[in-house]
Amino acid sequence: MKDVYILAIESSCDETSMAIVKNGKDVVSLTIATQMDTHALYGGVVPEIASRMHTEAITLVLEETLKKANMKMEDMDAIAVTCKPGLTGSLIVGIECAKTLALIYNKPLIGVNHLIGHIYANNIDDKMEFPMLALIVSGGHTELVIMEDDYKFKRLGETLDDAIGEAYDKVARVIGLKYPGGPNVEKLALEGNDTYNLPKPVMDDTYNFSYSGLKSAIINLVHNAEQRGEEVRRTDLAKSFQVVAIDELVRKVEKAFRETGIKRLVVAGGVSANKYLKEEMQKLCSKYEAKLLIPKLLYCTDNAAMIGAAAYPLYLKKEFSDYSLNASSEGDLL
Ligand code: AMP
Ligand code: MG
């Protein structure tokens, strides 16, 4: 079969990224222009600034991505783009670029769900096999699903309030760490011990997640300490939070291993960059003799290579988008 080259575009949040991906797994070139330093000045992503910065960067990112691959637009077989979920203004910049390229170069257009992109990041250096469990842990989502086949999802549980990444970011803020919070909490936790007695987010015996109680407990703890003039042991608090937050993920995946008998797990989304999460999932998978896939660090956080990987099964099935493709802030997997 002829090799398939997909030009993939990702602009759902604060990274403008493009990649050329061969046959859904070989990353021929990848460019990521991050806006992180700018948003860090404001303590979080400012949507209006993000859209403007995507507009500024996107053509340069395209030029660079083609140049690094030593390829031309004519060499591409399709144009893939993240269309949901994400910041609407940010998504629109990538979508408009993709549509224009598809029209001018007469290539099929493929709209890709960003969360599915995070899952397919696992196909880049490894191969996903079905059925498998997929745990999505990102800034906006915490979900546990069964994947029976490419693009066949069955949800076991999801977050009822805050996503785990959001909890990381809010805890970071209250203990005075800079945006992006997740990696900074992880770094601080390395120096701490699990000494704070925090509420476990155990609500019921479902597969659903809830992190707002844990987050609020930490915010209250810090504010109360401040009022009493007491010192907060930030390293210990970061460690204690991380243990409770991630142990909850482990508990739910263990339940799924026991109840479904499935022996494969992929972890996807920004929080999968976390080392403690990786270690705990590895221990669990060893106990259940299950195979664990977590993307390498570069593909854990937002990048266009994962969008190219997720677009490939759609290309094979000829599930193309038309020129009315639009952005959506919501993006259910099912
Ligand atoms: P995403 O929404 O998939 O783009 O992922 C972004 C989220 O992942 C943010 O909430 C980050 O704080 C979080 N994140 C990134 N790296 C880490 C890490 N090493 N540990 C915990 N959370 C992280
Ligand atoms: Mg993401």
Side-chain angles (χ1 to χ4, degrees), residues 60-77:
L60 299 167
V61 170
L62 171 63
E63 193 179 27
E64 165 116 7
T65 306
L66 289 168
K67 199 164 133 196
K68 281 194 291 208
N70 197 18
M71 294 180 88
K72 302 189 295 296
M73 279 307 303
E74 287 80 357
D75 301 324
M76 300 302 126
D77 294 287

Side-chain angles (χ1 to χ4, degrees), residues 10 12-15 114-115 118 136-141 163-170 172 179-187 241-242 246 268-277 297 300-303 306:
E10 155 65 39
S12 65
C13 190
D14 61 345
E15 257 100 34
H114 179 85
L115 297 173
H118 275 301
I136 299 164
V137 281
S138 72
H141 294 80
I164 183 164
E166 198 177 340
Y168 260 96
D169 293 336
K170 288 185 177 153
Y179 169 84
N184 288 328
V185 171
E186 174 174 28
K187 224 181 279 166
F241 160 71
Q242 181 155 278
I246 289 180
V271 185
S272 64
N274 187 283
K275 260 210 209 101
Y276 178 71
L277 181 151
L297 206 56
C300 283
T301 45
D302 289 349
N303 69 89
M306 68 186 199

Side-chain angles (χ1 to χ4, degrees), residues 16 25 67 73 90 96 141-142 152 183 186 205 211 226 244 255 265 267 291 297 300 310:
T16 319
K25 59 188 322 330
K67 199 164 133 196
M73 279 307 303
S90 289
E96 205 40 52
H141 294 80
T142 317
K152 295 260 181 310
E186 174 174 28
D205 201 29
Y211 283 103
E226 275 169 3
V244 172
K255 176 176 158 71
L265 171 69
V267 187
K291 183 175 175 189
L297 206 56
C300 283

Side-chain angles (χ1 to χ4, degrees), residues 171-178 184-185 188-193 196 221-222 231-241:
V171 166
R173 194 185 282 225
V174 77
I175 57 177
L177 297 174
K178 273 208 190 136
N184 288 328
V185 171
L188 200 66
L190 285 177
E191 299 160 34
N193 296 306
Y196 279 96
L221 189 153
V222 173
E231 197 204 335
V232 173
R233 300 185 312 279
R234 291 156 76 244
T235 52
D236 290 349
L237 189 56
K239 176 71 183 179
S240 305
F241 160 71

Side-chain angles (χ1 to χ4, degrees), residues 190-211:
L190 285 177
E191 299 160 34
N193 296 306
D194 177 15
T195 55
Y196 279 96
N197 192 15
L198 298 170
K200 290 198 175 18
V202 180
M203 314 162 305
D204 53 23
D205 201 29
T206 69
Y207 285 105
N208 291 327
F209 299 93
S210 166
Y211 283 103

